[in-house]
Amino acid sequence: MYTQAMDSLPAEVKPTLRSAEEMQLQQRFDARIDDGQFIEAKDWMPEHYRKTLVRQISQHAHSEIVGMLPEGNWISRAPTLKRKAILLAKVQDEAGHGLYLYSAAETLGTSRDEMFDALHSGKAKYSSIFNYPTLTWADIGTVGWLVDGAAIMNQVPICRCSYAPYARAMVRICREESFHQRQGFDALLTMMRGGTDSQKAMVQDAVNRWWWPAVMMFGPPDDQSPNSEQSMRWGIKRVSNDTLRQKFIDAAVDQAKVLGVTLPDPDLKWNEARQSYDFGAIDWSEFFRVVGGDGPCNRERLKARVKAWDDGAWVREAALVHAQKQAAKADVQRQAA
Amino acid sequence: MSHSTAQAEWPLWEIFVRTKAGLDHKHCGSLHAADAKMAIQLARDVYTRRQEGSSIWAVPSQHMVASDPGDKDMYFDPMEDKVYRHPTFYVLPESVDHM
């Protein structure tokens, strides 16, 4: 998912509790989690829970923000005014989703600047999927269909995350995300039903390139995901990587038939006993390479993001100085009156 | 990386949106803005992209005052035994029970 890098971290050692009072707080916290209650920003929580959430929510936010770049690439080249308006709305939504999530992370005591610094210095991760290029217009449709499709599959369970500000942000995001997947499928359907042979081939080519990266969005297999169990225990993660991946593949196979494209996996086969599709081996070395910084576009994405932030510095400074000047002026007028 | 603004974040604002006339403003999240006017403008773009609102309140987060969650039991439980504050406490004859 958008925070799959969480799963590639080494297993964390649980810190030992210090005092009797802290143990009591911990027990009360565990009981609330077991009872299915929500944890709010000002409630006591274990440091490890807080740290995990800051890392996960900020990674999620970074993914939304970096996710604007591959799509923004096509705003000026969308084939019609309608598609351009749709793409603009979608990219604006991604910015909004990033902002909901940054503000949820800030309730845990981190600052926006700290999170940005972590992203811009390469310390923080974002989803590996955004390090692939969007080569043709068909890529934009495919990103909507497969990438946003995988994101929705992953994000719906987080609406029940134990940390309430995160859960509330996710409810808002999921409400908006469905349009993203549908517009992508719609764009591809238009190409497949009314397009020329070369346009149809363009769709198939995009699907071939995006399929495996989309399947990898769910993160490493459950048995290679050392921190999953703790996240499940805390109600931060509700459904395992492999379960979600299977659900995604099962849904996508049927959608691909409607579209009239094939998926680039010769081992895809319906398994009557499991009532699911079997699928081929995933190249995890590619996943770790891309998460680790060596995907096709890692450097380009980070460079574009840092440039946008640095180029905007004078605007942020000017707005702040203007606000301070206006406030000072208002003070003078008040004192004179 | 930009260092010049690392210590100069725009202030944080809490945003409340009234979905339509007649309903309460409801807290929906926060955002950073340099001043009040910008907070309202950004809130429109961040929280009402699909006509979710007809009115927005923005309050500087530093001015929000909240009860302490640690005091929750002590603070709210005294109301638990005052059941006579609820209409259902009073059993009336059936003929007048719609009162």
Side-chain angles (χ1 to χ4, degrees):
Chain A
M1 62 174 302
Y2 283 3
T3 59
Q4 40 170 228
M6 294 289 293
D7 294 328
S8 56
L9 294 167
E12 288 189 42
V13 187
K14 258 198 263 182
T16 43
L17 294 171
R18 285 180 296 270
S19 63
E21 189 199 6
E22 207 174 348
M23 274 168 76
Q24 201 187 11
L25 287 165
Q26 173 84 52
Q27 278 168 5
R28 212 178 298 160
F29 175 86
D30 289 343
R32 286 181 68 186
I33 295 282
D34 291 342
D35 193 32
Q37 290 183 32
F38 284 110
I39 307 300
E40 290 288 350
K42 299 278 190 282
D43 292 342
W44 185 89
M45 62 188 83
E47 234 4 80
H48 191 197
Y49 176 85
R50 183 185 300 274
K51 226 178 79 189
T52 302
L53 277 166
V54 166
R55 202 182 285 155
Q56 172 161 342
I57 302 172
S58 60
Q59 260 184 34
H60 197 159
H62 298 330
S63 298
E64 301 281 356
I65 296 301
V66 177
M68 289 192 282
L69 298 170
E71 293 188 294
N73 189 30
W74 280 90
I75 290 175
S76 61
R77 291 180 284 162
T80 64
L81 191 55
K82 176 182 122 181
R83 294 290 171 194
K84 185 173 182 155
I86 291 171
L87 189 56
L88 269 171
K90 181 177 188 292
V91 172
Q92 195 191 13
D93 270 359
E94 310 297 3
H97 296 176
L99 293 176
Y100 306 157
L101 289 163
Y102 281 129
S103 94
E106 283 174 283
T107 64
L108 290 159
T110 183
S111 73
R112 189 75 58 105
D113 279 350
E114 276 176 274
M115 289 187 274
F116 281 167
D117 276 352
L119 173 64
H120 298 164
S121 67
K123 207 177 100 201
K125 302 287 182 210
Y126 55 86
S127 178
S128 62
I129 197 76
F130 301 119
N131 290 318
Y132 291 89
T134 43
L135 302 180
T136 72
W137 172 249
D139 285 52
I140 296 303
T142 310
V143 165
W145 172 39
L146 294 178
V147 174
D148 290 292
I152 292 171
M153 211 59 107
N154 240 309
Q155 288 173 337
V156 167
I158 315 178
C159 294
R160 293 179 290 118
C161 171
S162 61
Y163 187 58
Y166 189 23
R168 285 193 288 266
M170 289 315 302
V171 168
R172 199 174 281 280
I173 289 173
C174 286
R175 212 160 37 208
E176 298 177 351
E177 197 87 45
S178 166
F179 135 63
H180 296 184
Q181 189 186 18
R182 292 173 69 98
Q183 66 81 33
F185 196 84
D186 180 65
L188 295 181
L189 206 56
T190 303
M191 290 176 84
M192 290 304 289
R193 292 202 169 153
T196 62
D197 283 348
S198 68
Q199 284 170 327
K200 287 177 197 173
M202 211 184 260
V203 175
Q204 183 63 60
D205 172 63
V207 171
N208 290 348
R209 282 182 288 106
W210 286 95
W211 173 250
W212 287 109
V215 167
M216 290 181 210
M217 282 177 71
F218 296 89
D222 296 345
D223 56 7
Q224 290 168 46
S225 180
N227 299 303
S228 275
E229 193 190 327
Q230 178 65 80
S231 282
M232 289 274 205
R233 169 71 189 81
W234 274 332
I236 295 175
K237 192 174 195 153
R238 295 289 188 185
V239 186
S240 85
N241 296 356
D242 287 332
T243 307
L244 288 167
R245 184 172 6 252
Q246 184 71 61
K247 216 175 137 191
F248 169 73
I249 291 173
D250 289 347
V253 170
D254 294 335
Q255 291 160 355
K257 283 179 196 152
V258 175
L259 211 49
V261 294
T262 56
L263 298 173
D265 179 358
D267 296 325
L268 260 186
K269 215 176 85 197
W270 178 250
N271 182 324
E272 188 62 29
R274 290 200 308 122
Q275 288 292 301
S276 269
Y277 284 92
D278 290 338
F279 52 92
I282 299 169
D283 179 7
W284 289 111
S285 64
E286 174 180 331
F287 170 79
F288 287 110
R289 199 167 58 240
V290 178
V291 168
D294 274 328
C297 302
N298 293 53
R299 285 168 199 83
E300 185 188 330
R301 297 287 184 249
L302 208 54
K303 206 174 124 194
R305 169 63 203 156
V306 171
K307 181 178 187 303
W309 179 250
D310 286 348
D311 287 353
W314 71 271
V315 179
R316 293 191 299 276
E317 282 164 29
L320 205 56
V321 172
H322 175 73
Q324 283 159 354
K325 205 169 101 185
Q326 294 299 314
K329 239 192 229 169
D331 266 355
V332 171
Q333 279 172 357
R334 212 170 304 132
Q335 277 160 13
Chain B
M1 280 216 39
S2 74
H3 301 282
S4 52
T5 57
Q7 301 306 320
E9 271 187 3
W10 286 349
L12 193 64
W13 301 72
E14 298 302 320
I15 305 302
F16 301 79
V17 169
R18 185 207 296 283
T19 48
K20 57 181 184 187
L23 296 179
D24 297 334
H25 281 79
K26 202 174 141 197
H27 183 246
C28 61
S30 60
L31 52 78
H32 290 270
D35 58 27
K37 192 175 157 194
M38 189 194 273
I40 296 285
Q41 281 173 349
L42 294 184
R44 186 198 64 171
D45 293 342
V46 177
Y47 292 107
T48 66
R49 286 191 303 281
R50 289 171 178 75
Q51 286 190 299
E52 292 93 336
S54 61
S55 161
I56 295 169
W57 287 351
V59 183
S61 303
Q62 58 173 357
H63 292 156
M64 297 287 294
V65 181
S67 62
D68 183 345
D71 292 343
K72 181 170 131 324
D73 298 346
M74 186 182 80
Y75 209 66
F76 297 105
D77 284 357
M79 270 40 117
E80 199 184 353
D81 59 2
K82 296 173 181 59
V83 284
Y84 45 82
R85 285 181 167 157
H86 295 279
T88 45
F89 178 72
Y90 305 92
V91 180
L92 300 184
E94 206 176 314
S95 57
V96 293
D97 203 25
H98 59 275
M99 187 184 284

